[in-house]
Amino acid sequence: NKKPRVEYWMLDYREVRPDCWLPMIQGCDVYEKDIFGRSYVDVRTDLKIIDIRINELLSDELFKMEFKEGVKVVDNRSGRTITYTYRPGPPELVGKVLPEFGDINTSFASEQAKDRRLLVCFWDMQQRPSRYCVRRLAEKAKDFTEKGIAVVCVHASDVDENTLYEWVKEYNIPFTIGMVRGDEEKTRFSWGVQSLPWLILTDGNHIVTAEGFVVNELDEKMVEVALRKKQ
């Protein structure tokens, strides 16, 4: 039917336990066709089993796969083939010191909020959920002040600076505003931002206590930080 063909092989069967036989050599060829319709082996996979242990508990480390960035991954686990170029996910910040604002154009510096908790919001004014999040935060501005929480809103995509500050002025956003400068993707990655809006909360030592939560969960996260501090 003119579709690529996959050929599997299993050789050298051995009885690894009574009535349990296993092929010690396995593999497959994936065939493609060139522009002249001639088949050729595009991918070959070979497996040679060198050790067998029956009914032993295996360490989770044995099932972890490490990929180099940029490698092509073909995933068949879901019953359908998914092919993608591997990129490592952003690091988790919880339990770590908040990154410096070096790649963010802002007048704010962490030293200005010494011994105060920080709330950083990465957002994009061109997205409705981001605008909603920042406006909801603005409604809580008085509460933040009373609880000693400094808020920084970082615009995480390219936008005209005048347009941004006009919107901030129109909706009376009282927080320090920052803009990512340079490589936006790199900055998002280093801050662990997986989607927008993205909230990051720290304790008074600027250790991240929560990230990636929605604005409606903010009060709950602040209570968790307070309880943790008492303990």
Side-chain angles (χ1 to χ4, degrees), residues 20-73:
C20 180
W21 294 76
L22 188 72
M24 304 297 288
I25 298 176
Q26 306 175 28
C28 74
D29 282 341
V30 179
Y31 293 87
E32 292 285 359
K33 291 186 178 181
D34 60 21
I35 59 175
F36 302 106
R38 296 174 300 197
S39 296
Y40 66 93
V41 177
D42 181 51
V43 177
R44 165 164 286 182
T45 303
D46 290 292
L47 171 66
K48 183 176 181 180
I49 299 175
I50 59 175
D51 184 30
I52 299 176
R53 302 176 186 180
I54 306 298
N55 292 337
E56 287 189 12
L57 292 177
L58 301 177
S59 168
D60 290 341
E61 295 296 322
L62 294 175
F63 298 92
K64 290 183 179 180
M65 301 182 68
E66 295 184 1
F67 300 100
K68 292 183 179 180
E69 184 172 0
V71 73
K72 178 182 178 182
V73 178

Side-chain angles (χ1 to χ4, degrees), residues 38-186:
R38 296 174 300 197
S39 296
Y40 66 93
V41 177
D42 181 51
V43 177
R44 165 164 286 182
T45 303
D46 290 292
L47 171 66
K48 183 176 181 180
I49 299 175
I50 59 175
D51 184 30
I52 299 176
R53 302 176 186 180
I54 306 298
N55 292 337
E56 287 189 12
L57 292 177
L58 301 177
S59 168
D60 290 341
E61 295 296 322
L62 294 175
F63 298 92
K64 290 183 179 180
M65 301 182 68
E66 295 184 1
F67 300 100
K68 292 183 179 180
E69 184 172 0
V71 73
K72 178 182 178 182
V73 178
V74 181
D75 189 343
N76 294 307
R77 293 175 300 171
S78 62
R80 60 190 182 92
T81 300
I82 301 174
T83 303
Y84 60 92
T85 299
Y86 175 74
R87 291 184 179 180
E92 292 186 3
L93 296 184
V94 174
K96 300 177 182 178
V97 177
L98 193 72
E100 295 294 332
F101 288 83
D103 294 331
I104 298 171
N105 186 15
T106 178
S107 60
F108 181 84
S110 298
E111 294 77 14
Q112 295 176 274
K114 187 177 180 180
D115 298 326
R116 296 173 61 194
R117 286 179 287 176
L118 288 177
L119 176 63
V120 181
C121 174
F122 282 82
W123 67 299
D124 182 351
M125 66 169 293
Q126 300 168 96
Q127 298 177 1
R128 181 177 296 177
S130 285
R131 296 195 299 270
Y132 170 79
C133 178
V134 172
R135 292 173 66 179
R136 288 282 288 116
L137 293 177
E139 294 172 1
K140 295 175 173 288
K142 183 178 179 181
D143 189 34
F144 291 145
T145 300
E146 293 175 351
K147 293 180 178 179
I149 299 176
V151 182
V152 182
C153 295
V154 179
H155 200 275
S157 66
D158 187 31
V159 69
D160 178 71
E161 188 171 349
N162 291 329
T163 301
L164 172 62
Y165 283 101
E166 285 177 5
W167 188 90
V168 169
K169 182 178 179 180
E170 178 181 356
Y171 289 96
N172 298 315
I173 308 301
F175 310 126
T176 301
I177 302 297
M179 295 181 66
V180 173
R181 60 186 179 189
D183 191 328
E184 298 167 5
E185 185 174 344
K186 181 179 179 181

